[in-house]
Amino acid sequence: MSDPVSQELFARAQRVLPGGVNSPVRAFRAVGGEPVFITRARGSRIYGADGAEYVDYVGSWGPAILGHAEPEVVEVVRRTALDGLSFGAPTELEVRFAEAVRERVPSLELQRCTSSGTEATMSALRVARGATGRDLVVKMEGCYHGHADALLVKAGSGLATFGTPDSAGVPPGAAESTLVLPYNDLAALEAAFDRVGERIAAVILEPVAGNMGCVPPEPGYLPGVVELCARHGAISIFDEVMTGLRVAPGGAQERYGVTPRLTCLGKIVGGGMPLAIYGGASEVMRHISPLGRVYQAGTLSGNPLAVAAGLATLERLVPAVYERLEATSAALGDGLASLLRERGVAGVVQRVGSMLTLFFTERPVRSWSDAAGCDTERFARFHRGLLARGVYWPPSQFEAAFVSAAHEPADLDRTLSAARDALVS
Ligand SMILES: *Cc1c(COP(=O)(O)O)cnc(C)c1O
């Protein structure tokens, strides 16, 4: 149950916003509750409309890796705002930002800013099609790449949660050129290339899946995907909107030592502001206008406030932060796993760095078909139990929880003691 103030706000919200929200998962439908309205956040904590304090594992769905409202990042944004909110013209700030991003992700020889992850993946597909002159795109079941028409097929989290594998309003043609294959299945990809290889423009995937819950790549999977693409003249795209700057400074491509042709970044890269990036090999990216014939643009792209927040966040993501994230996340993951044993509850904790999921299932989750077998009723009870005890966990079995650099031992103690109680209900 949410608090009375949130309930009143939710009633008002439903009169002006579809379902009372600006993005579906926020409505808490998958856990049968009503959303808590948030008034402010600081560090590892987030505060509800009635003033209640929660330990937060949503982190604005990823960006809050340093913790909420990191004082120096906020100060940089404040100072930048005094000089103007948007110019629609080039700035030194965006050049410095691009240089800093490329330092961490060297495969981004050329990159372009967009305002959302959706635009980044959509544009990456367009340039892949433009560069190869081919039409088909391969995506993996359970991976989410934003809500562009062509990618809204078997797309995990929000969609999985609502049991709508496809969205209404997507013309058949838009999804017809998208092939959907199981995640972590190299043989299936090889078979697709054997069948229609000369038509495949790109293969896009989450290098660590996060939108069906946290599902790591099997050994050999990522290098296999990149190699198959190279052999058949297709463009490999790592959608690192979630994993970029999270699972390692250089994202999953650094962590697993695999270099895709194109990469999408989002979430953390904007430090909480609307910003995402797509980019990669200059040979591919030079097809983008004004260099080439692939058109893509944005009035607010490279917005100075967003870029300033991103740059300030990047500068603070030093090696010691990743060590701390790893230690805190390992303690949380191990703690949850031992609670499952103690309580005799069937569950699996899967974690890569500071993203993790507790799946209510007997077996490890390697793909969407495994994830779909989870006990979502049990998850919903667990979620409500945590919320009632001051822990704000992602409101879906198919979302990853995020640990931030601001999470401390006291946060973990509170979380694990809430989880111990929430697991019996
Ligand atoms: C969140 C997400 C997106 C979409 O980004 P938006 O900014 O919400 O449009 C795309 N890909 C992945 C992997 C994501 O996690």
Side-chain angles (χ1 to χ4, degrees):
M1 273 307 270
S2 63
D3 58 272
V5 190
S6 290
Q7 284 169 27
E8 196 185 315
L9 285 169
F10 194 46
R12 265 174 64 197
Q14 285 168 287
R15 291 196 280 273
V16 284
L17 307 171
V21 290
N22 274 316
S23 197
V25 74
R26 297 180 196 170
F28 275 39
R29 292 205 175 185
V31 287
E34 290 201 345
V36 177
F37 277 63
I38 303 302
T39 49
R40 66 192 176 89
R42 186 74 190 245
S44 62
R45 307 292 171 111
I46 191 164
Y47 298 86
D50 64 344
E53 182 187 69
Y54 301 89
V55 182
D56 179 31
Y57 292 97
V58 176
S60 186
W61 301 96
I65 191 166
L66 296 171
H68 291 281
E70 205 284 327
E72 291 172 72
V73 175
V74 171
E75 177 54 23
V76 165
V77 172
R78 201 188 63 81
R79 267 193 279 114
T80 307
L82 295 174
D83 287 331
L85 300 183
S86 172
F87 315 123
T91 63
E92 182 190 339
L93 207 50
E94 68 188 356
V95 178
R96 277 175 44 211
F97 177 61
E99 288 166 350
V101 171
R102 196 174 62 180
E103 215 169 275
R104 284 158 184 81
V105 189
S107 71
L108 291 173
E109 293 170 4
L110 289 176
Q111 59 186 286
R112 180 166 279 175
C113 280
T114 61
S115 299
S116 69
T118 294
E119 285 172 273
T121 57
M122 191 179 86
S123 309
L125 289 191
R126 185 177 299 149
V127 73
R129 284 179 162 134
T132 58
R134 299 175 177 184
D135 62 335
L136 297 183
V137 165
V138 175
K139 83 173 280 293
M140 308 307 166
E141 200 175 4
C143 285
Y144 176 68
H145 305 293
H147 62 86
D149 282 357
L151 288 167
L152 220 41
V153 225
K154 309 221 167 152
S157 61
L159 298 143
T161 296
F162 298 124
T164 49
D166 293 303
S167 165
V170 175
E176 255 168 35
S177 50
T178 307
L179 290 176
V180 184
L181 300 178
Y183 192 71
N184 267 330
D185 188 342
L186 212 48
L189 183 60
E190 203 156 2
F193 271 118
D194 285 343
R195 221 170 57 245
V196 286
E198 74 292 344
R199 285 183 58 198
I200 297 176
V203 175
I204 186 168
L205 52 68
E206 293 179 70
V208 175
N211 285 287
M212 53 177 144
C214 180
V215 179
E218 305 262 290
Y221 182 57
L222 297 178
V225 169
V226 168
E227 202 273 317
L228 276 173
C229 286
R231 197 189 318 156
H232 292 272
I235 290 171
S236 47
I237 308 176
F238 280 10
D239 178 354
E240 298 225 42
V241 168
M242 188 183 287
T243 55
L245 299 159
R246 175 157 303 268
V247 300
Q253 53 196 276
E254 177 186 331
R255 188 171 182 118
Y256 296 98
V258 185
T259 306
R261 293 278 277 165
L262 294 181
T263 296
C264 301
L265 297 175
K267 299 191 168 123
I268 293 174
V269 83
M273 300 289 280
L275 192 158
I277 287 171
Y278 71 101
S282 50
E283 203 188 313
V284 179
M285 288 299 288
R286 62 153 211 260
H287 288 270
I288 298 283
S289 180
L291 291 180
R293 295 184 49 242
V294 175
Y295 191 73
Q296 185 273 320
T299 301
L300 296 176
S301 295
N303 173 268
L305 295 195
V307 165
L311 191 56
T313 301
L314 247 61
E315 283 166 354
R316 278 156 191 83
L317 285 172
V318 295
V321 169
Y322 289 93
E323 282 160 28
R324 182 188 165 97
L325 284 168
E326 182 64 34
T328 315
S329 310
L332 177 63
D334 294 349
L336 289 171
S338 70
L339 285 179
L340 288 168
R341 286 193 297 275
E342 175 190 319
R343 293 300 196 192
V345 173
V348 178
V349 177
Q350 295 189 184
R351 178 180 76 84
V352 176
S354 55
M355 55 192 274
L356 74 122
T357 300
L358 194 179
F359 289 106
F360 286 97
T361 181
E362 312 264 352
R363 293 175 296 124
V365 174
R366 301 178 53 239
S367 65
W368 171 244
S369 59
D370 296 336
C374 288
D375 185 346
T376 51
E377 282 300 316
R378 174 114 221 182
F379 176 83
R381 292 202 301 278
F382 177 64
H383 183 272
R384 288 194 294 269
L386 287 180
L387 193 67
R389 293 168 181 84
V391 176
Y392 192 82
W393 198 258
S396 163
Q397 171 70 95
F398 308 117
E399 297 285 359
F402 298 114
V403 173
S404 83
H407 283 75
E408 298 198 344
D411 294 308
L412 294 200
D413 290 347
R414 181 157 151 187
T415 305
L416 292 172
S417 106
R420 177 177 283 117
D421 294 339
L423 279 174
V424 274
S425 55

